[in-house]
Amino acid sequence: MLSDKLFFWLFQNQPDRIVSLCGDLPVDAGGYSFTAPVLKEREYRLDGLFRPAADRPDLPALILEAQMAPDPGFLRRLYAESARLLQQEPSIHHWQVVVITPSRRLNFGSPEPVAEFLEHRVHWVELQRECWQEPVPLLQRLLALLLEPEKELPSCSEQLREAATGSALESDLDDVIAAILISRFPSRSIPEVCAMGGITVEDFTQSRIYQEIAGIGRQEGRQEGRQEGRQQEAVSVTLRLLTRRCGPLSEATTARIQSLPLEQLESLAEALLDFQGADDLEAWLASSC
C-alpha cells in the first residue's frame, strides 16, 4: 500500500487534522506545522512530525508513525527513532507519539523493554472497529476504510458523508476517500475505485489527490502506479490524430496502438505529425514495437 504517501498527503496541507485523533490535547489545540524529517545516521524518514505554533508552548510536538502490519521490531524501533529525533532536535521538550494502526494488539514485539515509553508517550489510533471506544473522531472512521471489507465500502462511504455534514472535513471528504482507496487499491481501474467510494469519475480524475498520488499531473510526469487516466487520454487523442492523418485504421492496428505503453504513445503522438499516410504509421510501429 501507499500508506506513507497517504498520511503525508493527508496532513501536509492541514496539519491540525491530527488534533482530532489525540483526545488528550486541549480543546483549543491548533496551529501545528507538519514535516517528514530525515533522521541522520540511518537516514530514516519519520512518517511525520507536527510542530506546535510558536505561541503555543503548552502543546506537545507530535511524532507520527503509521504501522499497518505486524512487525516484531516495531516498538523498539519506535522508541529508538523517537530518541534519535530528540537528540537531533534539542528545541523539543514536550512531545508525544501518535501511532496509526489497525490494532495495538498486532505483533509489534514485547512491550516490556519500552513499557514506560508506551504508557506515557504513545497515543494509539486504532482502525479496527472492535478496538473503538466512543466517541470516535471522524478522521479515524475515515481511515478505517483502509480495513473495511470491499463490499462494504460504498455504504461506509455514504455513512461518512452523512456524518461529515457541517464538519471541517465536509468540503474535501471525497478527496480523502479517494486518497484512501488509491492507497488501498493501486491497481484497480478508475471506475472500480469510484464505485467503491461513491464518487463520479469526473470528480475523481479532477481531484487533487488523484493528481498527487496517482501521478497523472503534468508536473509529476510518469510514475509507476495509477496510469489509467493518462493512458486512456493518450490512446484517445493519438487514435483521433492518426485517423485524420492516415485515414480509418484497421482493428488490428487500433489494438496495437491501444496496447502501447504511455511513453511510446507520447512518442507516436509526436512522430505522427510528420506522417504522410498509413505506410508511415506501419513503418513506425514496425521499428518501435
Side-chain angles (χ1 to χ4, degrees), residues 143-183:
L143 292 174
L145 292 177
L146 288 165
L147 307 178
E148 293 287 355
E150 184 176 336
K151 65 180 181 180
E152 301 294 333
L153 289 174
S155 61
C156 290
S157 298
E158 186 57 35
Q159 291 171 13
L160 288 166
R161 286 190 182 85
E162 295 177 3
T165 302
S167 73
L169 272 170
E170 182 179 11
S171 61
D172 54 2
L173 186 74
D174 282 350
D175 257 9
V176 177
I177 292 176
I180 292 168
L181 296 182
I182 289 174
S183 298

Side-chain angles (χ1 to χ4, degrees), residues 6-22:
L6 164 65
F7 290 113
F8 184 84
W9 173 85
L10 187 64
F11 295 115
Q12 66 175 328
N13 293 320
Q14 298 190 45
D16 284 341
R17 282 175 170 166
I18 193 67
V19 173
S20 71
L21 299 178
C22 303

Side-chain angles (χ1 to χ4, degrees), residues 5 182 190 201-233 262 266:
K5 196 168 185 178
I182 289 174
I190 293 174
V201 173
E202 181 179 1
D203 288 344
F204 183 86
T205 55
Q206 295 300 315
S207 68
R208 178 164 56 91
I209 185 56
Y210 183 75
Q211 302 293 330
E212 294 180 4
I213 288 187
I216 67 166
R218 291 181 181 272
Q219 294 180 352
E220 292 192 5
R222 184 177 183 273
Q223 294 181 4
E224 182 179 1
R226 305 289 308 174
Q227 293 296 333
E228 288 87 353
R230 289 183 66 191
Q231 182 82 17
Q232 292 174 3
E233 181 181 1
L262 183 59
E266 292 172 343

Side-chain angles (χ1 to χ4, degrees), residues 5-6 24 29 36 60 68 72-73 86-87 178 183 192 200 203 232 244 259-260 272:
K5 196 168 185 178
L6 164 65
D24 54 350
M68 304 303 291
L86 294 178
Q87 184 182 31
S183 298
E192 285 180 299
T200 68
D203 288 344
Q232 292 174 3
R244 291 183 181 180
S259 67
L260 292 176
L272 67 82

